[in-house]
Amino acid sequence: LGKRALPGHTYCFSEEMAIEMKREAHIQQGLRKAMDEGAFELKFMPIHQRDKPWCTSAEALIRCTHPDLEGVGPDLFIPVAEKYGMIYELDLWVIEFCFREIGALKQEFREDIRDLRVAINISSLELNNPKLPAQIIMLANRHDIDLNTLDLELTETGLVSHKPSGLKMLTELRQHGIRIILDDFGTGYTAFNQLQHYPIDRLKIDRSFVNELSISGQAHTRSLVDVILRVAEIYGIPVTAEGVETQEQLNYLAQRGCHSFQGYYFNPPVALTKLIATRYQQKRSVEHACAIVNAVP
Ligand code: C2E
Ligand code: MG
Ligand code: MG
Ligand code: MG
């Protein structure tokens, strides 16, 4: 192809494609090795609710620790896992690993974990995997996890393209107490009036919208954020804003009725033990402060 192509665009295009294919093959091979060796870990990013001094839930985010995939994040390797049929194994690994970590921490922090929700991302391809609910229930039983504290995050693209089977599965998952979160809302193709047909408990406004909120004001983005919050309000669906990095963004979103927030302004993703320990300290210091206030005659 390269030889026959005229110099210029055509040649460059095929060269770019070759680089892209090589990159993808490299990630695919790295993933296979990482999966065989269990070379992954989870980081947890706290989600804060308005008026709550400690985080109410934590989102599990996968990281690959295999040296072949150094610096390759889930934004890059999850799509490859989806394309090559590895995602089911990977999602299941995440679910079990997450349950096991929570189970282990229960020994030490039982009371403090009881009111912490945990959110796990699953690929929208899972909507075509009828085995998923039974697998989640089996793993939850094995690790003594209360499904009423589990959130599953899915992107809207999947919901639209797997409609009948997806709706059935989400309904089943919800019957077991699991809550469904529509992730990255605003980047896909959900018509707003479709929201009422999906069995969802919460929306997450995509980081790209939050990023552009600034004090100087991007009128266009502001109005998009406003529209999303308003639509969610009409359908009675609470909203989490993702990617909150500044006080201004937080203030703006809170004023507009956003219910909860996640982003570097609060905390980057950390090990679960660290998140729980921080939360424990925050709870204790608030309790301590309350005790002092109450003791004042
Ligand atoms: P997501 O589910 O939308 O997760 C949010 C992403 O935004 C995370 O990136 C998080 O670190 C990042 N983020 C949140 N707040 C901020 C902020 O204030 N500033 C900046 N710069 N970034 C912020 P991450 O961990 O790289 O994950 C990327 C995507 O990969 C996730 O997007 C999710 O779609 C997917 N993913 C991550 N973990 C898993 C997993 O265990 N299973 C599956 N199936 N997908 C996963
Ligand atoms: Mg997510
Ligand atoms: Mg998201
Ligand atoms: Mg995302």
Side-chain angles (χ1 to χ4, degrees), residues 47 59-61 119-122 152-155 181-184 204 242 262:
I47 296 165
E59 178 181 8
L61 295 163
I120 295 179
N121 293 281
I122 55 167
L152 291 180
E153 298 195 3
L154 281 149
T155 59
I181 298 183
L182 198 49
D183 205 348
D184 300 349
K204 268 194 174 182
E242 169 183 280
Q262 173 183 23

Side-chain angles (χ1 to χ4, degrees), residues 27-53:
I27 294 178
Q28 188 206 348
Q29 284 154 18
L31 268 181
R32 191 61 268 164
K33 282 196 221 168
M35 283 162 80
D36 292 342
E37 296 168 28
F40 295 98
E41 63 181 15
L42 294 181
K43 295 282 189 215
F44 290 81
M45 195 162 191
I47 296 165
H48 289 267
Q49 233 164 55
R50 234 177 7 199
D51 312 328
K52 281 266 170 66

Side-chain angles (χ1 to χ4, degrees), residues 11-266:
Y11 183 76
C12 282
F13 181 61
S14 62
E15 197 175 41
E16 267 170 26
M17 271 173 57
I19 292 171
E20 174 56 26
M21 281 166 69
K22 227 175 131 179
R23 188 191 66 99
E24 196 176 290
H26 172 75
I27 294 178
Q28 188 206 348
Q29 284 154 18
L31 268 181
R32 191 61 268 164
K33 282 196 221 168
M35 283 162 80
D36 292 342
E37 296 168 28
F40 295 98
E41 63 181 15
L42 294 181
K43 295 282 189 215
F44 290 81
M45 195 162 191
I47 296 165
H48 289 267
Q49 233 164 55
R50 234 177 7 199
D51 312 328
K52 281 266 170 66
W54 49 80
C55 74
T56 45
S57 68
E59 178 181 8
L61 295 163
I62 193 171
R63 299 287 178 261
C64 185
T65 55
H66 197 283
D68 286 7
L69 290 186
E70 209 186 320
V72 180
D75 267 340
L76 294 174
F77 68 72
I78 292 290
V80 176
E82 287 178 331
K83 184 167 172 186
Y84 292 93
M86 301 153 113
I87 192 67
Y88 304 102
E89 194 182 336
L90 204 58
D91 278 347
L92 215 53
W93 183 91
V94 170
I95 294 165
E96 170 143 44
F97 193 85
C98 182
F99 286 0
R100 191 183 303 137
E101 277 207 81
I102 295 167
L105 280 168
K106 270 189 179 167
Q107 315 283 334
E108 204 180 336
F109 294 102
R110 180 167 285 274
E111 287 310 312
D112 284 284
I113 290 188
R114 206 194 292 280
D115 65 341
L116 178 73
R117 306 192 60 79
V118 173
I120 295 179
N121 293 281
I122 55 167
S123 164
S124 45
L125 294 178
E126 297 289 0
L127 291 174
N128 277 336
N129 171 16
K131 285 187 274 177
L132 185 74
Q135 286 171 327
I136 293 178
I137 292 159
M138 186 265 292
L139 290 173
N141 287 336
R142 182 184 296 169
H143 296 284
D144 186 25
I145 298 297
D146 176 4
L147 288 178
N148 290 298
T149 62
L150 178 65
D151 294 333
L152 291 180
E153 298 195 3
L154 281 149
T155 59
E156 43 179 322
T157 336
L159 279 189
V160 179
S161 51
H162 306 290
K163 212 172 167 190
S165 60
L167 294 190
K168 190 166 161 275
M169 184 187 296
L170 295 183
T171 306
E172 183 183 349
L173 290 167
R174 281 173 109 210
Q175 280 162 359
H176 291 280
I178 297 169
R179 293 198 205 152
I180 308 296
I181 298 183
L182 198 49
D183 205 348
D184 300 349
F185 189 73
T187 60
Y189 302 98
T190 316
F192 285 155
N193 65 0
Q194 290 285 305
L195 275 178
Q196 59 188 314
H197 302 303
Y198 297 130
I200 51 170
D201 299 282
R202 182 173 281 282
L203 289 180
K204 268 194 174 182
I205 299 189
D206 191 64
R207 179 151 67 94
S208 56
F209 300 115
V210 176
N211 263 345
E212 288 171 34
L213 289 177
S214 66
I215 228 164
S216 54
Q218 290 256 354
H220 180 61
T221 316
R222 285 197 164 196
S223 60
L224 273 179
V225 166
D226 293 348
V227 168
I228 293 174
L229 288 170
R230 180 78 187 103
V231 168
E233 192 191 342
I234 289 170
Y235 293 116
I237 305 170
V239 177
T240 300
E242 169 183 280
V244 177
E245 293 187 356
T246 67
Q247 178 81 53
E248 292 84 62
Q249 292 167 343
L250 177 64
N251 290 347
Y252 185 83
L253 290 157
Q255 275 164 21
R256 292 290 187 286
C258 188
H259 298 75
S260 54
F261 315 91
Q262 173 183 23
Y264 288 0
Y265 176 73
F266 299 98

